[in-house]
Amino acid sequence: MKLPLNMLAQMRAATRNLMGSGPAAATEAIQQALSAAGLAPQAAVTQTPPPQPMRDINPPPAPQARAEQPQAAAAPETPAAPPTPAQVAQDFAQDFMSRLGVPAGLGQHSFDMPSFELPNFHPPGFNAPAATPVEIPAGAQFIDGVYRNHAGTRSYKLYIPSSYHGQAMPLIVMLHGCTQNPDDFAAGTQMNALAEEKECFVVYPAQTQGANSSRCWNWFNAIDQQRDQGEPSLIAGIAQQVIDEYPVNEREVFVAGLSAGGAMAVIVGTLYPDLFAAVGVHSGLPFASAQDLPSALAAMKGGAMPNAQRKAPAGGVPIIVFHGDRDTTVNPRNGDELIAQGVRSQAGGKAAKAASIDGSVPNGHRYTRTTHSQADGSPLGEHWVIHGAGHAWSGGSDNGSYTDGKGPDASREMLRFFKTVS
């Protein structure tokens, strides 16, 4: 089915209304979008309840079964409660998603209004524990910072190891996944502990809930796939601000991320090869693999867009990719396409050498590691397929969310790879 070009714009306007003007305006806008596509909304969701404050955009959980209680024969039947504004708006959204071909139930976990949310790694109903506070060794610092430019404002946290005494050190930019924040991501990846060991700065940009209600980096927006625009300019600006304030070795500046953060790390590293020397991606997607919500869902579930549409600029930087082969949130094919794209952008039409080895972590996951290099042995990339792993940071600590402690240690391997290409 071919949809009108203005349909998604109308849907986005509707979801903005959900958080702004109210559910009545949202349902009207969604109804207009469906009508524009010749899709009449289902009758069950055409009622417009009186406006009231919006509290929760997700449908309430199904009530638990209760034992039937004896009632007097003459007792009148309690009328069904009218649908809440949240239910009405969600029903419209579900109807719209089903007409786009999204499987039933998927939208409840992957379509978050007013912005796109990656599905939760944990099963429905799972409440992730709060991240354990990050421990700071004596002499180290984990300080707050803010960066502003024409695209907006983002805060960040910068880790300065206790081994810092004014000397130049590498800088790692770490981009968290959806629902995460710098403290959570630092606790889960244990990158601060490695910074102590390897003597480097680590900066964690923080996505705002105003930019994305689930704190996802907006890797699927066209404006956020352009140099000096949107979120790439903010992330690059944070890195440059740290470089300006501390003695960073400018040949050893790297960017890495998980899931939505991994997809954004690819974008930032691709757009700013003059700033970043290499990219690390865990459970992410190729450069420009989506341009809107439907193509983002398609890329996540089935793989990125056709080759011609996701061609990365030539002259890319070395890349290391981790992906679990049991990942049901971001299809593992994205890892295959991502490493192929990264190697192709660097090789410039020349043949690259590839070599694979199989290994395993004691009492942990098996993995296949494939290295790609130029004819002279210069590294182009590494691809780690972790057998049996899902959508989580490999080798991470359960002090943070979205981690899998069965290894291999993605944080350590990324720093090792970064050292080989600097």
Side-chain angles (χ1 to χ4, degrees):
M1 176 179 63
K2 187 174 181 180
L3 303 179
L5 294 178
N6 66 345
M7 186 173 181
L8 288 174
Q10 293 177 345
M11 287 297 297
R12 293 191 182 99
T15 56
R16 283 195 296 271
N17 284 334
L18 275 171
M19 308 302 291
S21 300
T27 53
E28 181 180 355
I30 296 172
Q31 188 172 10
Q32 291 173 356
L34 293 174
S35 298
L39 304 174
Q42 295 174 353
V45 297
T46 56
Q47 300 178 6
T48 302
Q52 52 183 287
M54 197 65 180
R55 296 299 182 190
D56 185 3
I57 61 172
N58 296 311
Q64 297 180 349
R66 294 177 296 177
E68 293 186 0
Q69 300 295 329
Q71 298 180 358
E77 182 178 351
T78 302
T84 66
Q87 289 174 302
V88 173
Q90 183 69 26
D91 286 344
F92 268 115
Q94 291 286 8
D95 181 47
F96 173 73
M97 296 294 283
S98 68
R99 292 163 190 267
L100 287 178
V102 178
L106 176 62
Q108 296 179 12
H109 305 293
S110 63
F111 181 43
D112 184 34
M113 299 173 286
S115 54
F116 176 68
E117 174 188 3
L118 295 181
N120 198 333
F121 168 67
H122 302 292
F126 177 87
N127 292 319
T132 302
V134 179
E135 295 185 6
I136 309 300
Q141 300 179 70
F142 201 24
I143 61 177
D144 296 308
V146 175
Y147 175 77
R148 297 179 177 85
N149 71 6
H150 65 281
T153 302
R154 294 294 185 276
S155 62
Y156 61 85
K157 296 198 75 169
L158 173 65
Y159 187 78
I160 304 172
S162 60
S163 55
Y164 171 65
H165 301 293
Q167 75 275 29
M169 298 194 304
L171 171 64
I172 317 297
V173 179
M174 294 287 287
L175 302 178
H176 62 73
C178 296
T179 74
Q180 295 182 316
N181 58 42
D183 288 297
D184 182 16
F185 200 39
T189 61
Q190 296 287 280
M191 194 61 82
N192 290 356
L194 283 173
E196 285 288 332
E197 178 184 333
K198 303 297 184 181
E199 299 189 0
C200 59
F201 301 107
V202 187
V203 65
Y204 301 84
Q207 177 65 303
T208 67
Q209 200 162 14
N212 185 292
S213 62
S214 295
R215 300 187 188 277
C216 306
W217 296 100
N218 291 304
W219 56 274
F220 50 89
N221 285 341
I223 190 66
D224 297 304
Q225 298 171 2
Q226 301 177 37
R227 183 181 172 105
D228 299 331
Q229 299 293 327
E231 292 174 0
S233 72
L234 290 164
I235 295 165
I238 288 172
Q240 189 61 56
Q241 183 162 292
V242 175
I243 292 170
D244 293 341
E245 295 177 357
Y246 295 88
V248 172
N249 185 336
E250 296 187 37
R251 293 178 297 177
E252 296 184 85
V253 180
F254 312 100
V255 60
L258 168 66
S259 193
M264 184 55 71
V266 174
I267 292 171
V268 173
T270 300
L271 297 177
Y272 294 90
D274 51 329
L275 179 58
F276 297 101
V279 177
V281 185
H282 205 310
S283 310
L285 298 98
F287 176 81
S289 53
Q291 296 292 320
D292 51 30
L293 173 60
S295 59
L297 286 170
M300 289 173 60
K301 293 303 175 184
M305 294 188 299
N307 221 21
Q309 298 184 53
R310 65 175 195 277
K311 181 179 179 181
V317 296
I319 186 170
I320 181 169
V321 176
F322 287 80
H323 215 119
D325 66 2
R326 298 289 180 87
D327 190 338
T328 58
T329 299
V330 177
N331 193 299
R333 280 198 293 269
N334 284 288
D336 301 333
E337 295 166 346
L338 178 52
I339 193 69
Q341 182 189 72
V343 170
R344 185 171 58 248
S345 68
Q346 298 172 75
K350 298 179 181 179
K353 297 189 300 182
S356 295
I357 60 170
D358 293 324
S360 63
V361 177
N363 300 315
H365 290 302
R366 295 182 301 105
Y367 60 85
T368 299
R369 173 192 173 208
T370 303
T371 59
H372 301 265
S373 59
Q374 297 178 352
D376 63 0
S378 302
L380 297 173
E382 286 188 18
H383 186 200
W384 292 68
V385 177
I386 308 163
H387 304 298
H391 193 71
W393 189 274
S394 180
S397 166
D398 59 8
N399 287 336
S401 62
Y402 301 90
T403 61
D404 183 345
K406 294 183 178 180
D409 189 339
S411 297
R412 184 173 294 276
E413 294 297 341
M414 283 185 182
L415 291 189
R416 187 264 316 156
F417 177 76
F418 291 161
K419 193 66 177 178
T420 67
V421 302
S422 61

